[in-house]
Short mmCIF file of all heavy atoms in Angstrom, two decimals:
data_model
loop_
_atom_site.label_atom_id
_atom_site.label_comp_id
_atom_site.label_asym_id
_atom_site.label_seq_id
_atom_site.Cartn_x
_atom_site.Cartn_y
_atom_site.Cartn_z
N GLU W 51 8.14 12.02 -16.33
CA GLU W 51 7.31 10.90 -16.76
C GLU W 51 6.26 10.51 -15.70
O GLU W 51 5.17 10.04 -16.05
CB GLU W 51 8.16 9.70 -17.12
CG GLU W 51 8.96 9.86 -18.36
CD GLU W 51 10.21 10.74 -18.16
OE1 GLU W 51 10.78 10.77 -17.04
OE2 GLU W 51 10.63 11.43 -19.12
N ASN W 52 6.52 10.68 -14.41
CA ASN W 52 5.56 10.21 -13.40
C ASN W 52 5.01 11.36 -12.52
O ASN W 52 4.28 11.11 -11.62
CB ASN W 52 6.15 9.12 -12.53
CG ASN W 52 7.32 9.58 -11.69
OD1 ASN W 52 7.59 10.77 -11.49
ND2 ASN W 52 8.07 8.63 -11.15
N LEU W 53 5.40 12.59 -12.80
CA LEU W 53 5.00 13.75 -11.97
C LEU W 53 3.47 13.91 -11.92
O LEU W 53 2.93 14.11 -10.84
CB LEU W 53 5.67 15.02 -12.54
CG LEU W 53 5.60 16.25 -11.71
CD1 LEU W 53 6.22 16.02 -10.35
CD2 LEU W 53 6.29 17.40 -12.40
N ASN W 54 2.79 13.87 -13.07
CA ASN W 54 1.36 14.06 -13.03
C ASN W 54 0.65 12.95 -12.27
O ASN W 54 -0.41 13.19 -11.66
CB ASN W 54 0.81 14.20 -14.47
CG ASN W 54 1.18 15.50 -15.07
OD1 ASN W 54 1.29 16.52 -14.41
ND2 ASN W 54 1.43 15.48 -16.38
N GLU W 55 1.18 11.74 -12.36
CA GLU W 55 0.55 10.60 -11.69
C GLU W 55 0.80 10.59 -10.19
O GLU W 55 -0.09 10.23 -9.42
CB GLU W 55 1.13 9.33 -12.33
CG GLU W 55 0.75 8.04 -11.64
CD GLU W 55 1.55 6.89 -12.21
OE1 GLU W 55 2.01 6.94 -13.35
OE2 GLU W 55 1.70 5.91 -11.46
N LYS W 56 1.98 10.99 -9.73
CA LYS W 56 2.36 10.80 -8.34
C LYS W 56 2.25 12.09 -7.50
O LYS W 56 2.34 12.01 -6.30
CB LYS W 56 3.78 10.29 -8.25
CG LYS W 56 3.88 8.89 -8.82
CD LYS W 56 5.18 8.26 -8.47
CE LYS W 56 5.16 6.82 -9.00
NZ LYS W 56 6.22 6.00 -8.38
N MET W 57 2.02 13.22 -8.13
CA MET W 57 1.91 14.49 -7.39
C MET W 57 0.41 14.86 -7.30
O MET W 57 -0.23 15.06 -8.30
CB MET W 57 2.66 15.58 -8.13
CG MET W 57 2.64 16.92 -7.47
SD MET W 57 3.67 18.05 -8.41
CE MET W 57 2.92 19.58 -8.05
N MET W 58 -0.09 14.92 -6.08
CA MET W 58 -1.48 15.24 -5.83
C MET W 58 -1.55 16.69 -5.28
O MET W 58 -0.84 17.03 -4.35
CB MET W 58 -2.11 14.32 -4.83
CG MET W 58 -1.97 12.86 -5.17
SD MET W 58 -2.76 12.48 -6.73
CE MET W 58 -2.01 10.96 -7.18
N ILE W 59 -2.46 17.45 -5.88
CA ILE W 59 -2.63 18.85 -5.43
C ILE W 59 -4.06 19.04 -5.00
O ILE W 59 -5.00 18.71 -5.74
CB ILE W 59 -2.30 19.85 -6.60
CG1 ILE W 59 -0.85 19.65 -7.04
CG2 ILE W 59 -2.62 21.27 -6.15
CD1 ILE W 59 -0.52 20.42 -8.29
N GLU W 60 -4.25 19.60 -3.82
CA GLU W 60 -5.58 20.01 -3.37
C GLU W 60 -5.55 21.52 -3.15
O GLU W 60 -4.66 22.07 -2.46
CB GLU W 60 -5.93 19.33 -2.04
CG GLU W 60 -7.32 19.80 -1.54
CD GLU W 60 -7.69 19.18 -0.24
OE1 GLU W 60 -6.95 19.44 0.76
OE2 GLU W 60 -8.69 18.47 -0.16
N ALA W 61 -6.48 22.22 -3.79
CA ALA W 61 -6.62 23.66 -3.64
C ALA W 61 -7.95 23.95 -2.97
O ALA W 61 -9.01 23.70 -3.60
CB ALA W 61 -6.49 24.39 -4.98
N ILE W 62 -7.92 24.41 -1.78
CA ILE W 62 -9.15 24.77 -1.06
C ILE W 62 -9.27 26.31 -1.25
O ILE W 62 -8.40 27.08 -0.81
CB ILE W 62 -9.08 24.44 0.44
CG1 ILE W 62 -8.86 22.94 0.61
CG2 ILE W 62 -10.39 24.89 1.12
CD1 ILE W 62 -8.62 22.51 2.03
N ILE W 63 -10.34 26.71 -1.90
CA ILE W 63 -10.52 28.13 -2.26
C ILE W 63 -11.73 28.70 -1.55
O ILE W 63 -12.84 28.19 -1.67
CB ILE W 63 -10.74 28.28 -3.78
CG1 ILE W 63 -9.62 27.60 -4.53
CG2 ILE W 63 -10.85 29.76 -4.17
CD1 ILE W 63 -9.84 27.47 -6.05
N GLY W 64 -11.52 29.80 -0.80
CA GLY W 64 -12.57 30.50 -0.13
C GLY W 64 -12.97 31.74 -0.89
O GLY W 64 -12.13 32.62 -1.09
N VAL W 65 -14.22 31.79 -1.34
CA VAL W 65 -14.77 32.96 -2.03
C VAL W 65 -16.21 33.20 -1.55
O VAL W 65 -16.82 32.30 -1.01
CB VAL W 65 -14.75 32.81 -3.57
CG1 VAL W 65 -13.34 32.83 -4.12
CG2 VAL W 65 -15.47 31.55 -3.99
N SER W 66 -16.74 34.39 -1.84
CA SER W 66 -18.06 34.72 -1.34
C SER W 66 -19.13 33.89 -2.05
O SER W 66 -20.18 33.64 -1.45
CB SER W 66 -18.33 36.20 -1.55
OG SER W 66 -18.34 36.51 -2.93
N ARG W 67 -18.91 33.46 -3.27
CA ARG W 67 -19.89 32.68 -4.03
C ARG W 67 -19.22 31.41 -4.58
O ARG W 67 -18.90 31.31 -5.77
CB ARG W 67 -20.46 33.53 -5.16
CG ARG W 67 -21.23 34.76 -4.69
CD ARG W 67 -21.90 35.53 -5.81
NE ARG W 67 -21.07 35.71 -7.01
CZ ARG W 67 -20.15 36.64 -7.18
NH1 ARG W 67 -19.89 37.54 -6.25
NH2 ARG W 67 -19.46 36.75 -8.32
N PRO W 68 -18.96 30.43 -3.72
CA PRO W 68 -18.25 29.25 -4.19
C PRO W 68 -18.97 28.50 -5.32
O PRO W 68 -18.32 27.80 -6.13
CB PRO W 68 -18.13 28.38 -2.94
CG PRO W 68 -19.12 28.92 -1.98
CD PRO W 68 -19.36 30.34 -2.30
N GLN W 69 -20.26 28.59 -5.37
CA GLN W 69 -21.02 27.92 -6.44
C GLN W 69 -20.74 28.49 -7.80
O GLN W 69 -21.02 27.86 -8.83
CB GLN W 69 -22.56 28.01 -6.12
CG GLN W 69 -23.16 29.35 -6.27
CD GLN W 69 -22.99 30.30 -5.07
OE1 GLN W 69 -22.34 29.96 -4.10
NE2 GLN W 69 -23.61 31.48 -5.16
N ASP W 70 -20.15 29.67 -7.87
CA ASP W 70 -19.84 30.30 -9.16
C ASP W 70 -18.43 29.95 -9.69
O ASP W 70 -18.06 30.40 -10.76
CB ASP W 70 -19.95 31.84 -9.03
CG ASP W 70 -21.39 32.24 -8.88
OD1 ASP W 70 -22.33 31.46 -9.12
OD2 ASP W 70 -21.62 33.45 -8.52
N LEU W 71 -17.62 29.25 -8.92
CA LEU W 71 -16.30 28.90 -9.36
C LEU W 71 -16.31 27.88 -10.48
O LEU W 71 -17.05 26.90 -10.48
CB LEU W 71 -15.47 28.31 -8.19
CG LEU W 71 -14.97 29.29 -7.14
CD1 LEU W 71 -14.18 28.56 -6.07
CD2 LEU W 71 -14.15 30.39 -7.78
N ASP W 72 -15.49 28.15 -11.49
CA ASP W 72 -15.29 27.23 -12.62
C ASP W 72 -14.11 26.35 -12.27
O ASP W 72 -12.95 26.66 -12.58
CB ASP W 72 -15.02 28.03 -13.90
CG ASP W 72 -14.87 27.17 -15.12
OD1 ASP W 72 -14.71 25.92 -14.98
OD2 ASP W 72 -14.92 27.72 -16.23
#
Side-chain angles (χ1 to χ4, degrees):
E51 290 76 30
N52 65 14
L53 192 58
N54 287 326
E55 172 190 335
K56 295 192 175 195
M57 181 177 153
M58 306 300 161
I59 300 170
E60 179 183 61
I62 302 172
I63 306 170
V65 291
S66 65
R67 298 183 318 276
Q69 70 279 3
D70 291 346
L71 286 180
D72 183 346

